[in-house]
Each structure stands twice: as C-alpha cells, then as structure tokens.
C-alpha cells in the first residue's frame, strides 16, 4: 500500500508537475486540492498519511489550513510538510515550531521531490 | 644712567630754579632799598627783606605741597586703575623671548596655573594647540612695535580652552627693539558659548524633527524646538516648568512614567560608553525614532539632547516593500517551479526518449530556468542584506555533517558537469558557531562555483580543518583560475572573472558578494587564492563553538547598524 499524500496547491501547473513527480517517480498515491477549503471538505474521505501544503495561498494560507486540519479528530498526528518560496526563510522556523516535519523550498526539483519527502519521513520516523 | 639723570633735572627744573632763587631774594631787596631807594634804616631794610623772602618761601612751600598732593592723587588713581584692571582682566607680561615675567591673580584664577608654573617659562605653555599661525602673526606685529588686538584661545592647566579678547602692547627700547610686551585679556568664553548656543537653537527651531533638551539631573526641559512645542501643546513660557515625566516618551506597562526604563536606556551615555543611542518608541500611538545624546558643556550643567522623528512613513514604506518583495518572490518563483519541474521531468526520460537536438534544446531551457531561479534568490537576498533585515540564528553546528549535506545537494549538478567532489578531514564533532542554513547557502554557492569552473572530468577538493579558535573550510578547483585583473573585485556585486562567464556558466555575479556578507556577519573571514590556468581555492574561517554555546540571534537591526 503506497503512502497517501494530500497535496494542497493553488497553482495548477505546479499541481500537475508535483502529481507526476510524486506518482510516477515516487510511487505515492496523491490527492490534490486547489484551496484550503477544498482540502477541509475532502480530507476525511481521503484519509491521508501525509499533508503536503503550499504556504502562500489565497483565501486560506497553508499554516491556517494546517491548524484546521489538525483540529479534525483522527488527523492530529498526520505528519505535515510545507512548501514555500524561499523569501520566507525566516518563517521556516515558525512553521517548524507550528509542528511541521520540514519545509521544502520552491522552486523544488521535480526529479528530487519524492526522494526529498522520503528522506524527511525517514529522518522523523 | 646719564639719560635717567637729565630726565629728572628736566622734570624738576622749576623747583631747582626756585630753590636757588629764594635765598637770594632777601639780599637783593636789601641792596635795592639801600642803594637805589636810599633807605638807611637798617631795621626797615631787614624787616622788608625778611618779609618778602618769607612770602616767596611760603609760596614755594605751598607749590611743593600742591605738587606732592597731585602726585599722590595720580598715584592713587593709578593704583585704583591697576586694581580695576586686575579685577577685570587677565594680565601677563613677557620678555623679548616670550618668557613670562609677570602674571596677575586673575590670570592664575582663570587658568588654574600657579606663578611657579609660569614665571620664566615660554608663553607657549598657555597657547591653545593649533594657534601657531596666530602666535606667529602676533610676534611679527609686536617686533614691529605695533599693538595687536584679537581673539585668543588659552589652554588652562587642565587642558580646557577658554576664549579671550586680548590686547598686546609692546614695550621697546629707544632703538625700537622689543623689550617686553603686556597682554591684557578679557575672558569671553561664556558669551561665546552663549552666542554659539543661540545660533544653534535658531537652526534647531525650524527643524521638522522634535528636539528636546533637558537637564541630566532633574530631567527638566531647558529647550524645545517649534515642532516639539506643537506636539506637546506647550510654549516658551510653559516648557521650562515641565520635565520629562510630563512627556510620555517612556510610559511603562502600567501607564505611568517609567523612569527606570529611561535610565536603563541612558546608562551607556552616562557611563561614556557611547556618544549616541537610538531606539524606537511608540509616542502618541505613532512609531518614533528617538536619538539621544548626553551633552557635557564646558560651562553649565550636563543635559540630554533628544531628537524624536516620526517614522510612520518609513514604517508604511517598509511594510509596502516587504509585501512587494513577498509577492514578487512568490509570483516569480511559482512559474519557475513549473518550468523547471516540467522540463526536468521531460529530460529525465519520464515521457520517453528524446532526440539529441530536442535533448540539447531542453537542456538549455532547463539551465536557464535554473539560472532565473538563482537570480531571483540572489536579488532577494541582496535586498535583505541591504535593508538589514537578514537574521542569523547562531548555534553549534557540526561542520562535517553540513559539508556532507552540501556535497549531496550538489551531486546532481556536479554529475551534469562530470566533476567529482572529494572531501578531506570531515571528522565528526568539529563544531562551529554559525547559522546552519546560511552556511549551507555559502557552501552551495562555493561548491557550485567550483564545479561550474572546473574542467570536464575534473575534481573539486573540500577540506575541513580545526584551528585554535576557528574552523577552516576550503573549496578548491583546478579550472581556469581567476585572472589577476579580476581578483580585486571578485567579491563585488555583479562581478565575474570574465563577463562572458556569466552567460557561459550561468549565475548572476551576485553570489560571492552575498557569500562574503554572510560569512562576515557571522564573525567569519573569507578569501581566496588563484593561479591563472591552474585553479582557485576559496577558504573561510568561522568561530568555533564552545561547550557552553547557546543559541544566539543576530537581529536584523544590529546588522544594519554595522
């Protein structure tokens, strides 16, 4: 059974590339949402093993979504990795303090993304 | 001697004549009465001659008395004038070699010297430093027998300067040669300072910043400029009765004036550790920058001078700038992520084999997307450094581990250039005091540079050494090297050894400038050696972490201040 990742990203091109990378190269099962609200609506049905959340999204930011996801019973311990543009480096510490496993910086390397995620999960297991 | 005698005779000639003439009056009258008038009565002749002689004697004595009286009056007047002069002026007398021969009490009082300090010494002792030109001019005038008037700064025994308005009067011999000179000075220090103060205050009055001056001891206001008075709602008559307690510059959490906070802030000024302190406060709900100095005037009590600048506009501007940068960074990186991601997947062969030409074209596209990403990162980093907003979290970092991670990170890149990376001395436990992320960024930059400028099939050697107080890291390549003419500017912005390199090798020419700043702001040093045609070695040193090292943060503000 492959690892189930809920990927929330508002940019549809990045969504497609990430899906291709994570599924074709990483062998993960990926469910994607374009907004925080959509993620909240669909998360229980998908029941992911990992959240992969973009930080800067309109309407609901990644960190707000994280707090809301964690409030859903049964998802309190689901590990989370954030994806963010590098200009917010100082926010990385805040995101980690919030409870994130790690933060992947954008632009990420599509070829290395699955490997990166596996390394993070192995390091925190 | 002869000169002195003849002057005395000339001055007293009338007395000498009278003195010789008076005894002759009696006999002359007796002869005239007897021979010319024909008086034979001896008693009459003697009586008349004696009477006339007595009249002349009395007249002579009365003149002597008057003369002596007037001499005494002159003497008294001169004594009074000398006393007045001594009370008012600082008087010194010097000989022809400028050696001090006389000083009055007032001079000693004002300068703190004793007579022993001065008599027989050169007058240069009390001339202020840097007054050589003035001294030269004065000597020339006195030697020519001319008086001199002017402003002269005098150095007191304690080194303090007092300002005097001085008259120099030369005394010459009959050949016109300078024998001595007398200097009569009026102390004008106080009025000079007052005039200076008045002029300064006139200038301060019209400034847009608020200026407050208040006594260091009582914190009572001694001056407020126009802007400050407007902000407080006070005027020239009101503010002298107010003190800092009534200006809400240091309001504590309980809403009362926090005197402790004020003195804590002012302590470095009071202890003389610094000349100025700057901090930000919210005054009247507006962000304000407060600059404070402790002025210790030569005359009068020490006082604090505080300049308050409303920085609401600056804050608003910074906020806009931050928002802009944040947006730019997000908006630019998002498409770069898509481009790189899509190209990377195609190039990996995920969608089947590519023709050689297509592969080459996509390589170019991928390389340039990569370069675009680097440019965005570098520009944003530089902007942060320039604005002093880069924060450093210093911690004990295992350097060997960090280098290994950086090598792993750069492996795909080095493989693309067919360059191998060899590490030496990566012993565990070599702990360095630095910001892990920033040094990782430094290593990434130096490694990718070394790979980029190596020959195909070449090698990059990374060394880690532990020194007495520092950790030394070097990254060496055996590529083209840096030409002599480019060495001086290699750490400057937008510099690469050859500008064509920028296009051929990719990169912005900003990387090394950022690397240098990152290293130096963590108390480190970076340099390089290079031989044209043989290769380049970059090396940096960072402080060692000690066992008791705790996490430190270098705040952006302190970086900006450096």
């Amino acid at each position: 059974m492959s690892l189930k990742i809920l990927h929330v990203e508002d940019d549809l091109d990045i969504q497609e590339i990430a899906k291709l990378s994570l599924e074709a190269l990483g062998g993960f099962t990926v469910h994607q949402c374009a907004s925080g609200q959509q993620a909240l609506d669909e998360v229980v049905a998908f029941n992911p093993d990992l959240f992969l959340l973009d930080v800067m999204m309109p309407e609901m930011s990644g960190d707000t979504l994280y707090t809301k996801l964690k409030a859903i019973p049964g998802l309190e311990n689901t590990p989370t990795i954030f994806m963010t543009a590098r200009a917010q480096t100082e926010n990385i510490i805040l995101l980690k303090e919030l409870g994130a496993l790690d933060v992947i910086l954008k632009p990420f390397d599509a070829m290395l993304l699955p490997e990166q995620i596996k390394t993070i999960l192995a390091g925190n297991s | 001697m002869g000169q002195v005698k003849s002057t005395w005779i000339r001055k007293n000639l009338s007395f000498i004549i009278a003195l010789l003439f008076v005894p002759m009056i009696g006999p002359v009258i007796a002869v005239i009465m007897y021979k010319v008038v024909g008086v034979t009565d001896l008693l009459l002749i003697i009586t008349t001659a004696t009477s006339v002689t007595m009249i002349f004697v009395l007249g002579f004595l009365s003149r002597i008395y008057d003369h002596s009286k007037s001499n005494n009056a002159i003497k008294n007047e001169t004594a009074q004038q000398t006393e007045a002069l001594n009370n008012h002026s600082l008087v010194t007398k010097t000989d022809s070699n400028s050696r001090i021969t006389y000083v009055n009490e007032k001079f000693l009082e004002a300068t703190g010297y004793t007579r022993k300090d001065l008599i027989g010494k050169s007058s240069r002792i009390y001339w202020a430093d840097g007054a050589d030109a003035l001294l030269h001019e004065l000597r020339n005038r006195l030697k020519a027998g001319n008086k001199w008037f002017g402003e002269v700064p005098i150095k007191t025994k304690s080194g303090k300067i007092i300002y005097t308005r001085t008259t120099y009067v030369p005394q010459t011999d009959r050949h016109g040669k300078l024998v001595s000179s007398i200097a009569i000075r009026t102390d004008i220090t106080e009025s000079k300072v007052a005039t200076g103060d008045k002029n300064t205050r006139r200038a301060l009055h019209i400034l847009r910043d608020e200026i407050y001056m208040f006594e260091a001891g009582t914190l009572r206001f001694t001056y407020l400029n126009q802007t400050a008075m407007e902000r407080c709602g006070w005027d020239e008559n009101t503010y002298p009765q107010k003190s800092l307690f009534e200006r809400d510059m240091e309001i504590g959490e309980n809403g009362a004036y926090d005197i402790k906070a004020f003195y804590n802030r002012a302590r470095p000024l009071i202890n003389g550790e610094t000349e100025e302190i700057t901090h930000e406060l919210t005054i009247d709900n507006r962000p304000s920058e407060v600059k404070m100095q402790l002025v210790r005037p030569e005359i009068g009590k020490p006082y604090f001078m505080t300049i308050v600048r409303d920085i609401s506009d600056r804050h608003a501007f910074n906020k806009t700038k931050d928002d802009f940068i944040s947006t730019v960074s997000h908006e630019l990186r998002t498409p770069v992520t898509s481009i790189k991601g899509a190209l990377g997947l195609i190039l990996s062969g995920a969608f089947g084999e590519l023709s050689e030409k297509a592969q080459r074209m996509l390589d170019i596209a991928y390389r340039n997307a990569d370069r675009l990403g680097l440019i965005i990162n570098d520009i944003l980093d530089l902007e942060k450094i320039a604005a002093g907003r880069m924060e450093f979290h210093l911690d004990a970092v295992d350097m060997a581990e960090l280098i290994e991670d950086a090598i792993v990170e750069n492996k795909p890149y080095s493989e693309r250039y067919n360059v191998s990376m060899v590490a030496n001395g990566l012993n565990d436990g070599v702990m360095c005091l630095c910001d892990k992320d920033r040094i990782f960024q430094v290593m990434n930059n130096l490694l990718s540079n070394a790979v980029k400028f190596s020959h195909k099939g070449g090698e990059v050697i990374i060394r880690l050494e532990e020194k007495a107080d520092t950790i030394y890291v070097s990254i060496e390549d055996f590529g083209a090297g840096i030409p002599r003419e480019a060495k001086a500017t290699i750490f400057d912005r937008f510099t690469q050894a050859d500008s064509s390199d920028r296009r051929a090798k990719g990169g912005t020419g900003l990387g090394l400038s950022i690397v240098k700043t990152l290293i130096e702001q963590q108390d480190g040093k970076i340099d390089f050696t290079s031989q044209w045609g043989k290769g380049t070695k970059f090396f940096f040193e960072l402080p060692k972490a000690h066992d008791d090292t705790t996490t430190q943060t270098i705040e952006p503000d302190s970086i900006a201040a450096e």
Side-chain angles (χ1 to χ4, degrees):
Chain A
M1 182 77 184
S2 67
L3 195 83
K4 285 158 74 181
I5 299 177
L6 177 72
H7 180 215
V8 187
E9 165 66 63
D10 63 310
D11 188 286
L12 298 181
D13 289 342
I14 293 180
Q15 260 198 24
E16 199 176 331
I17 290 160
K19 191 175 174 73
L20 207 63
S21 163
L22 294 170
E23 286 183 348
L25 302 177
F28 301 123
T29 304
V30 180
H31 180 77
Q32 291 183 308
C33 299
S35 70
Q37 194 50 56
Q38 189 192 345
L40 289 170
D41 293 343
E42 297 171 10
V43 67
V44 177
F46 181 59
N47 192 23
D49 302 310
L50 173 74
F51 297 128
L52 185 59
L53 310 179
D54 182 28
V55 177
M56 283 181 80
M57 291 187 290
E59 289 161 27
M60 194 187 294
S61 67
D63 46 331
T64 311
L65 171 63
Y66 170 83
T67 317
K68 291 191 174 183
L69 287 171
K70 289 281 170 175
I72 297 171
L75 299 178
E76 303 92 338
N77 299 319
T78 309
T80 304
I81 297 173
F82 283 105
M83 298 181 94
T84 184
R86 196 166 157 273
Q88 283 79 45
T89 307
E90 44 275 16
N91 294 341
I92 291 173
I93 292 166
L94 291 175
L95 292 170
K96 283 188 180 172
E97 278 172 5
L98 206 63
L101 275 192
D102 212 334
V103 180
I104 293 175
L105 300 178
K106 284 181 177 179
F108 60 86
D109 191 326
M111 297 303 300
L112 299 175
L113 183 62
E115 209 48 50
Q116 240 176 319
I117 290 173
K118 282 176 189 164
T119 311
I120 294 168
L121 288 173
N124 285 281
S125 60
Chain B
M1 191 68 199
Q3 173 86 12
V4 174
K5 206 181 216 172
S6 68
T7 311
W8 185 85
I9 292 169
R10 212 168 38 238
K11 268 170 85 178
N12 298 290
L13 194 61
S14 60
F15 286 95
I16 296 164
I17 291 167
L19 206 63
L20 294 171
F21 174 69
V22 168
M24 291 166 71
I25 291 169
V28 169
I29 286 173
V31 170
I32 291 169
M33 283 178 75
Y34 182 71
K35 291 268 184 190
V36 179
V37 184
V39 180
T40 54
D41 185 348
L42 193 61
L43 187 66
L44 181 67
I45 290 171
I46 289 169
T47 311
T48 309
T50 308
S51 303
V52 172
T53 302
M54 283 310 289
I55 289 165
F56 273 90
V57 167
L58 282 172
F60 179 64
L61 287 175
S62 137
R63 276 212 61 190
I64 287 176
Y65 174 73
D66 284 350
H67 186 74
S68 139
K69 214 169 110 185
S70 98
N71 260 355
N72 277 342
I74 289 166
K75 267 186 192 164
N76 280 341
E77 202 180 317
T78 309
Q80 279 172 0
Q81 281 172 0
T82 308
E83 197 190 341
L85 188 70
N86 275 334
N87 281 337
H88 172 81
S89 305
L90 285 55
V91 184
T92 55
K93 195 172 172 186
T94 49
D95 65 14
S96 56
N97 293 320
S98 301
R99 301 218 169 273
I100 305 159
T101 55
Y102 169 81
V103 280
N104 74 343
E105 283 301 326
K106 183 87 178 165
F107 186 91
L108 298 175
E109 209 176 280
T111 58
Y113 291 107
T114 62
R115 279 210 170 74
K116 208 176 153 196
D117 292 332
L118 299 175
I119 300 294
K121 306 274 172 57
S122 165
S123 62
R124 191 173 271 276
I125 193 170
Y126 52 68
W127 275 78
D129 302 333
D132 287 358
L134 193 65
L135 192 59
H136 187 68
E137 180 202 328
L138 167 69
R139 281 187 178 155
N140 283 344
R141 278 192 71 83
L142 293 177
K143 272 184 189 166
N146 297 317
K147 289 183 189 126
W148 186 90
F149 309 95
E151 201 172 281
V152 178
I154 297 278
K155 188 167 66 183
T156 65
K157 192 172 181 180
S158 65
K160 209 174 92 178
I161 301 296
I162 56 171
Y163 294 90
T164 63
R165 187 163 295 286
T166 306
T167 303
Y168 275 88
V169 183
Q171 289 183 314
T172 53
D173 61 16
R174 65 194 166 115
H175 306 294
K177 201 179 158 204
L178 183 71
V179 178
S180 62
S181 66
I182 295 181
I184 301 160
R185 305 177 176 85
T186 308
D187 188 348
I188 55 163
T189 313
E190 231 167 286
S191 66
K192 200 174 163 69
V193 171
T195 313
D197 251 18
K198 213 167 142 188
N199 290 339
T200 312
R201 287 181 184 202
R202 198 174 298 144
L204 295 180
H205 216 65
I206 53 170
L207 282 184
R208 274 188 60 205
D209 293 338
E210 297 161 53
I211 316 273
Y212 300 87
M213 293 184 195
F214 46 96
E215 280 183 7
T218 60
L219 305 186
R220 282 191 95 80
F221 288 114
T222 53
Y223 173 78
L224 266 71
N225 74 342
Q226 192 61 41
T227 320
M229 284 193 282
E230 278 167 18
R231 180 105 177 236
C232 300
W234 299 336
D235 59 28
E236 277 100 345
N237 300 320
T238 2
Y239 78 69
Q241 289 142 40
K242 308 275 185 187
S243 74
L244 196 63
F245 298 97
E246 286 151 277
R247 184 74 187 98
D248 54 349
M249 280 192 216
E250 293 279 357
I251 297 297
E253 279 172 10
N254 58 358
Y257 183 81
D258 191 350
I259 186 73
K260 217 168 149 196
F262 169 77
Y263 277 114
N264 277 343
R265 254 190 246 286
R267 189 157 296 126
L269 291 174
I270 296 165
N271 296 343
E273 291 158 16
T274 181
E275 288 187 355
E276 184 181 277
I277 50 168
T278 305
H279 55 275
E280 284 189 18
L281 286 176
T282 303
I283 303 174
D284 301 337
N285 297 320
R286 278 190 276 179
S288 303
E289 182 188 75
V290 180
K291 278 181 193 289
M292 187 157 72
Q293 291 180 345
L294 177 58
V295 184
R296 294 182 168 93
E298 289 185 358
I299 292 163
K301 294 174 186 169
Y303 62 90
F304 285 105
M305 179 154 99
T306 301
I307 304 168
V308 179
R309 177 171 292 180
D310 188 333
I311 50 169
S312 312
D313 289 350
R314 197 196 294 170
H315 272 219
F317 174 74
N318 281 344
K319 170 89 177 54
T320 312
K321 203 171 161 192
D322 286 349
D323 290 349
F324 174 74
I325 286 177
S326 182
T327 308
V328 165
S329 108
H330 182 255
E331 295 306 320
L332 286 178
R333 282 191 178 120
T334 302
V336 170
T337 308
S338 300
I339 297 166
K340 261 190 77 182
L343 292 173
L345 287 170
I346 299 169
L347 282 167
S348 72
F351 311 114
E353 282 288 304
L354 294 167
S355 73
E356 198 186 322
K357 273 186 181 170
Q359 176 89 28
R360 216 166 55 232
M361 289 301 112
L362 287 172
D363 263 337
I364 293 170
Y366 184 86
R367 214 166 49 234
N368 279 283
D370 203 24
R371 193 175 149 209
L372 191 57
L374 288 176
I375 292 171
I376 296 164
N377 291 345
D378 283 356
I379 288 175
L380 291 169
D381 273 350
L382 269 186
E383 197 283 330
K384 267 197 217 168
I385 290 168
R389 284 204 302 273
M390 192 171 265
E391 207 173 86
F392 292 87
H393 303 277
L394 304 184
D395 212 344
V397 172
D398 188 325
M399 206 57 185
E401 203 180 297
L402 188 147
I403 292 172
E404 271 165 11
D405 287 350
I407 291 172
V408 169
E409 174 94 1
N410 281 275
K411 206 150 190 311
Y413 189 70
S414 68
E415 280 169 356
R416 196 178 303 155
Y417 284 87
N418 195 19
V419 172
S420 56
M421 293 183 285
V422 182
N424 291 324
L426 297 194
N427 301 319
D428 286 346
V430 180
M431 303 306 278
C432 175
L433 182 66
C434 63
D435 182 315
K436 193 177 177 184
D437 291 339
R438 299 293 181 203
I439 296 304
F440 192 74
Q441 190 181 344
V442 167
M443 281 304 298
N444 261 346
N445 187 289
L446 295 177
L447 281 177
S448 62
N449 269 354
V451 166
K452 198 158 56 184
F453 291 100
S454 288
H455 299 301
K456 224 170 191 175
E459 203 172 57
V460 169
I461 297 177
I462 302 109
R463 279 190 194 86
L464 172 64
E465 283 173 38
E466 199 173 356
K467 294 196 170 184
D469 298 312
T470 55
I471 303 295
Y472 169 95
V473 179
S474 68
I475 296 100
E476 186 174 10
D477 71 62
F478 302 92
I482 299 165
R484 188 192 299 265
E485 61 273 18
K487 284 183 176 177
T489 56
I490 203 76
F491 286 115
D492 292 353
R493 290 178 185 188
F494 300 107
T495 299
Q496 278 188 337
D498 177 352
S499 61
S500 62
D501 281 352
R502 208 174 293 165
R503 286 183 297 278
K505 305 283 188 187
T508 57
L510 292 169
L512 284 176
S513 153
I514 296 169
V515 160
K516 189 169 193 285
T517 311
L518 293 180
I519 291 283
E520 286 178 352
Q521 293 197 342
Q522 295 178 67
D523 271 346
K525 284 185 293 190
I526 182 163
D527 212 338
F528 69 95
T529 56
S530 184
Q531 254 186 302
W532 183 233
K534 292 196 171 171
T536 304
K537 180 158 85 173
F538 276 91
F539 48 93
F540 63 86
E541 282 183 54
L542 285 163
K544 248 182 183 175
H546 300 287
D547 292 343
D548 55 352
T549 297
T550 48
T551 307
Q552 300 167 28
T553 300
I554 304 177
E555 295 292 339
D557 275 350
S558 64
I559 296 163
E562 272 167 20

